[in-house]
Amino acid sequence: MLVEKGGPEAPILRYASRAKNMLFEVEFVVKENGHFETIQTALVYALTVTECRRIANEMASELEIGGIQFFISEL
């Protein structure tokens, strides 16, 4: 079960369980005029990068904005 915390000014924190998970920062961006513009930042607890990517894909689809890309970095 995913839990989401955060507000308009705070990054979203999404995790299934904190036990043995790694913390990732996911930056959602759109490309405008050749430059990337951040539209949302999220902190994701996940066991693997693959799991983080799956969660990030779900989050990107919820934003309902075309052309969203995301970058994942481990914290």
Side-chain angles (χ1 to χ4, degrees):
M1 178 175 169
L2 293 177
V3 177
E4 186 173 314
K5 297 181 180 182
E9 296 86 28
I12 294 172
L13 176 61
R14 188 174 278 198
Y15 57 91
S17 163
R18 290 187 187 181
K20 299 182 183 177
N21 285 348
M22 296 183 289
L23 180 61
F24 298 93
E25 179 180 49
V26 181
E27 187 174 349
F28 297 92
V29 299
V30 291
K31 193 171 186 178
E32 292 184 5
N33 300 323
H35 297 91
F36 290 105
E37 181 179 332
T38 301
I39 57 171
Q40 180 70 52
T41 301
L43 300 176
V44 177
Y45 281 99
L47 290 172
T48 62
V49 174
T50 302
E51 182 183 28
C52 181
R53 186 178 301 123
R54 181 186 57 75
I55 293 170
N57 275 321
E58 289 176 17
M59 294 173 73
S61 67
E62 292 171 5
L63 292 173
E64 299 178 356
I65 299 172
I68 292 179
Q69 299 178 38
F70 56 86
F71 299 99
I72 298 173
S73 47
E74 186 179 352
L75 298 177

